[in-house]
Amino acid sequence: MMFSIFVILFNLPFTHTNYESRIAVTPVGYEFQLRYSIQLLVSTTAQTIITCSATCNQLSSCRTFDFDSVSKRCRLFEADTTTTGSIIVSSSSTSRVGTVQISSDLYSSTHNQPCTLCEMDRYETCSANTSTCQCPKNSYWDGSVCALQLFQNNTCKQQNACRSDLNLTCAQDCSGIFTKCVPASIINATQTSAGYGVTFVGTCSGSSVVNQTILTGQAGITMSPNGMLYVADGANRVVLYSQSNRVGTTVQSYGSWPAFLFYDNRTSLLYVTVIQLNLVYIYPTNNTIPPNGISYDNCSLKWLYRPSGIVVDSTGNVYISSYMCHWITKWTPNATTGILIAGSATGTLGSTSTTMSSSMNMALDEANSVIYVADRFNNRVQRFSLNGLGVGVTVAGGNGIGSAPNQLSQPTDVYLSKSKTVLYIADYANSRIQKWVINASMGTTIAGSASGIAGSSAYLLNGAYALTVDPTETYLYASDLNNNRIQRFFFL
Ligand SMILES: *[C@@H]1O[C@H](CO)[C@@H](O)[C@H](O)[C@H]1NC(C)=O
Ligand SMILES: *[C@@H]1O[C@H](CO)[C@@H](O)[C@H](O)[C@H]1NC(C)=O
Ligand SMILES: *[C@@H]1O[C@H](CO)[C@@H](O)[C@H](O)[C@H]1NC(C)=O
Ligand SMILES: *[C@@H]1O[C@H](CO)[C@@H](O)[C@H](O)[C@H]1NC(C)=O
Ligand SMILES: *[C@@H]1O[C@H](CO)[C@@H](O)[C@H](O)[C@H]1NC(C)=O
Ligand SMILES: *[C@@H]1O[C@H](CO)[C@@H](O)[C@H](O)[C@H]1NC(C)=O
Ligand SMILES: *[C@@H]1O[C@H](CO)[C@@H](O)[C@H](O)[C@H]1NC(C)=O
Ligand SMILES: *[C@@H]1O[C@H](CO)[C@@H](O)[C@H](O)[C@H]1NC(C)=O
Ligand SMILES: *[C@@H]1O[C@H](CO)[C@@H](O)[C@H](O)[C@H]1NC(C)=O
Ligand SMILES: *[C@@H]1O[C@H](CO)[C@@H](O)[C@H](O)[C@H]1NC(C)=O
């Protein structure tokens, strides 16, 4: 119903400034219609609209009232028109509706501030837990004001937006997008638990269409310190996703498919191995490694032959593994030739401590001068010293191909925890992510099936090709290659 509301706007004068409210009042002939009976706080009588609004004002949960100047009825509501109530035409021509005007400036000086700043405030209360000013009961901080919590089936946008006193919670769909308020008891308890993957990019079912929301056989992923996710997509492009926008933007396209990515937070450069072109491209400068852009299909320290994994250290040295030369080479800034760090000097494969079989992505531990590498077809993760002596130690797997806890099957990516004590391994052909404490004799599965079963449900992966972890180590993202999707799990 359309009508021009709010002819009167007044400030209620009270001793304490913070207890004043700006109240907007409709013309006569309107009343407030609540949707849920518990939104009615008080139904009383008052002499004038000013005394009715003053009563509302003294009750911090009162957001709306209506007053009839003949019957003297004064009703106070914990409700507003933006959530679950409405202003309707009244059968009484002497009824008006008053609404407390809420705006961000009312909260800017108090929210999250010491309690002394909201002692006499009607908008925020002191949280005993934190001794700071927080939203009162039945409301939540929406980023600028304390908004009233919502009721069952209302559309919600954040976890705490629903009436917690009624045991409601904001449900999420399979992509982790908030949907509506539902009883907490019907939420799949597992959705927020270990092992449940939220589809961060792509379709939940794993179907593929090449556009900005959907990937096709994507490989490496990496995240910048501000939470931007870069994806090396099989459609010969790098696509960028923010935490808030699941529609990506193509950063750069290449003449072939990019394999792994490394975001260098020191220089804000993105390093991309374009495997079939035998080159590393640096975004956005378009510089390449080798710098002359020359490519040959043979194993020479002067070139890259099927570069796969990539990491950059704090001084700009780039470590690149080769899928075909089974080694890791180090390229100092602008070098025209690499230095052998690990693997056979002739580029031949092997399964000894000095050889590898298709070296994939790596994790660098500069403090301890070591590098971890997924040694794909040896089904193990090796650790090499950066001094170039090239004798590796097996830190995970190495017990033959398989899905037992002490085995891996074609590992392709590895993440080293900030504590430098735990490896997270993309156990590609087992379609699982393994957590392996350094020096432990076996790992545990934190995503996918522990027995190596592939699938497309929220609990399964199909080809766990790569992984990255957000800067706060809250979430782990897995590149679920054959499902054309990026799944997000709790980092445990
Ligand atoms: C205060 O802390 C307790 C225990 O940690 C928690 O259960 C409760 O929800 C907290 N209350 C608020 C208002 O944050
Ligand atoms: C919420 O929606 C569901 C399904 O649409 C319906 O069964 C249920 O009755 C609704 N509940 C309320 C309180 O509106
Ligand atoms: C909410 O859940 C708690 C704990 O299970 C229960 O004690 C309480 O009665 C529930 N409240 C409502 C309104 O359902
Ligand atoms: C709840 O979990 C089961 C697996 O236990 C899954 O099949 C189902 O789709 C899940 N439901 C929702 C709404 O996520
Ligand atoms: C991508 O394709 C899917 C399936 O056709 C479609 O639902 C989605 O809206 C598309 N996204 C964009 C950004 O075009
Ligand atoms: C950049 O990365 C390094 C190494 O991972 C880390 O120590 C540093 O804290 C990061 N800087 C930022 C701003 O995230
Ligand atoms: C890099 O290459 C892309 C694509 O060819 C081009 O659009 C861009 O301008 C180049 N950037 C620089 C810094 O040369
Ligand atoms: C690698 O290829 C280049 C160019 O074809 C050739 O000059 C060189 O001899 C080759 N090296 C090896 C070890 O095959
Ligand atoms: C590498 O080359 C670029 C472009 O020529 C130049 O800007 C940069 O200073 C060089 N870096 C080093 C360490 O020489
Ligand atoms: C692993 O074992 C070695 C040798 O005992 C020890 O020096 C190292 O500190 C251990 N590392 C971790 C992370 O426990």
Side-chain angles (χ1 to χ4, degrees):
M1 171 196 357
M2 301 293 292
F3 59 92
S4 68
I5 53 164
F6 307 143
V7 288
I8 311 171
L9 190 63
F10 55 90
N11 289 315
L12 285 168
F14 277 89
T15 325
H16 301 292
T17 319
N18 289 342
Y19 245 96
E20 282 183 9
S21 304
R22 290 177 77 241
I23 310 272
V25 181
T26 65
V28 291
Y30 295 101
E31 66 180 47
F32 191 73
Q33 185 180 53
L34 45 68
R35 202 170 303 163
Y36 305 96
S37 55
I38 61 167
Q39 292 175 300
L40 176 64
L41 297 170
V42 176
S43 183
T44 181
T45 57
Q47 282 310 304
T48 66
I49 190 166
I50 299 290
T51 46
C52 181
S53 64
T55 315
C56 171
N57 206 38
Q58 281 164 336
L59 207 54
S60 72
S61 51
C62 178
R63 297 273 176 123
T64 306
F65 63 89
D66 61 10
F67 174 72
D68 190 314
S69 59
V70 171
S71 73
K72 306 296 183 192
R73 185 180 73 168
C74 169
R75 297 187 302 171
L76 312 182
F77 304 100
E78 185 178 47
D80 58 33
T81 52
T82 60
T83 54
T84 52
S86 43
I87 293 169
I88 60 164
V89 172
S90 175
S91 56
S92 165
S93 64
T94 51
S95 173
R96 294 168 186 259
V97 179
T99 54
V100 177
Q101 302 294 286
I102 299 291
S103 59
S104 58
D105 56 298
L106 296 168
Y107 297 91
S108 53
S109 63
T110 58
H111 192 64
N112 280 336
Q113 299 303 307
C115 286
T116 48
L117 292 175
C118 55
E119 266 168 10
M120 298 306 290
D121 195 304
R122 85 182 299 284
Y123 299 103
E124 293 218 298
T125 57
C126 181
S127 158
N129 279 13
T130 59
S131 296
T132 57
C133 301
Q134 298 296 335
C135 292
K137 188 172 177 288
N138 299 342
S139 69
Y140 69 100
W141 184 248
D142 75 356
S144 65
V145 302
C146 291
L148 289 178
Q149 283 182 324
L150 302 158
F151 290 84
Q152 190 165 352
N153 291 351
N154 289 171
T155 301
C156 49
K157 292 199 167 64
Q158 63 189 70
Q159 196 79 63
N160 61 354
C162 306
R163 286 285 292 242
S164 36
D165 63 326
L166 302 178
N167 292 340
L168 296 177
T169 187
C170 189
Q172 288 165 269
D173 66 13
C174 65
S175 295
I177 308 285
F178 288 108
T179 57
K180 62 178 185 175
C181 296
V182 299
S185 57
I186 74 156
I187 289 267
N188 213 334
T190 48
Q191 186 160 353
T192 52
S193 69
Y196 185 98
V198 154
T199 299
F200 192 72
V201 183
T203 61
C204 301
S205 64
S207 63
S208 170
V209 176
V210 180
N211 68 18
Q212 302 305 97
T213 46
I214 304 180
L215 304 164
T216 180
Q218 79 291 334
I221 52 178
T222 191
M223 189 167 270
S224 69
N226 60 358
M228 301 293 284
L229 182 74
Y230 292 85
V231 180
D233 189 33
N236 298 352
R237 60 184 184 168
V238 171
V239 194
L240 179 62
Y241 295 86
S242 71
Q243 291 294 321
S244 58
N245 190 353
R246 307 290 182 85
V247 178
T249 50
T250 296
V251 170
Q252 184 95 302
S253 290
Y254 298 96
S256 183
W257 63 278
F260 282 97
L261 307 172
F262 186 90
Y263 182 86
D264 182 359
N265 66 13
R266 188 180 58 97
T267 56
S268 301
L269 296 174
L270 181 75
Y271 290 76
V272 183
T273 55
V274 186
I275 188 162
Q276 303 287 345
L277 299 185
N278 298 334
L279 289 173
V280 167
Y281 280 90
I282 302 169
Y283 175 83
T285 63
N286 291 339
N287 288 340
T288 60
I289 300 173
N292 52 22
I294 297 177
S295 144
Y296 288 113
D297 279 359
N298 68 20
C299 293
S300 157
L301 292 176
K302 290 160 81 174
W303 306 309
L304 298 177
Y305 180 23
R306 301 293 184 262
S308 48
I310 187 156
V311 290
V312 183
D313 74 12
S314 60
T315 57
N317 296 311
V318 185
Y319 295 85
I320 304 166
S321 58
S322 167
Y323 189 78
M324 291 300 280
C325 304
H326 319 283
W327 65 26
I328 297 171
T329 54
K330 170 182 166 179
W331 294 70
T332 58
N334 293 355
T336 53
T337 186
I339 300 159
L340 186 70
I341 295 296
S344 138
T346 54
T348 46
L349 64 81
S351 57
T352 65
S353 62
T354 56
T355 54
M356 291 183 280
S357 181
S358 288
S359 38
M360 301 294 287
N361 214 16
M362 300 156 286
L364 190 60
D365 177 358
E366 267 186 278
N368 293 308
S369 283
V370 294
I371 195 163
Y372 295 88
V373 56
D375 184 6
R376 182 170 180 170
F377 294 108
N378 285 327
N379 308 300
R380 64 185 185 184
V381 173
Q382 296 291 90
R383 179 177 61 208
F384 290 95
S385 157
L386 295 177
N387 65 14
L389 294 180
V391 180
V393 173
T394 299
V395 290
N399 295 307
I401 191 165
S403 61
N406 69 344
Q407 291 178 309
L408 298 170
S409 181
Q410 296 191 36
T412 40
D413 199 1
V414 58
Y415 172 83
L416 178 65
S417 68
K418 285 180 193 242
S419 66
K420 313 290 184 208
T421 54
V422 189
L423 291 171
Y424 291 79
I425 302 160
D427 193 8
Y428 172 68
N430 276 330
S431 296
R432 64 184 187 183
I433 305 292
Q434 294 295 91
K435 174 180 180 176
W436 204 302
V437 175
I438 290 173
N439 292 343
S441 58
M442 61 181 77
T444 54
T445 300
I446 62 160
S449 151
S451 49
I453 296 163
S456 62
S457 80
Y459 294 91
L460 295 176
L461 300 167
N462 187 349
Y465 197 82
L467 77 167
T468 190
V469 174
D470 76 309
T472 59
E473 293 193 329
T474 305
Y475 295 115
L476 179 149
Y477 296 79
S479 177
D480 188 9
L481 191 156
N482 298 321
N483 283 325
N484 310 294
R485 64 185 187 182
I486 309 294
Q487 296 291 89
R488 189 186 71 193
F489 298 89
F490 283 106
F491 181 81
L492 298 167

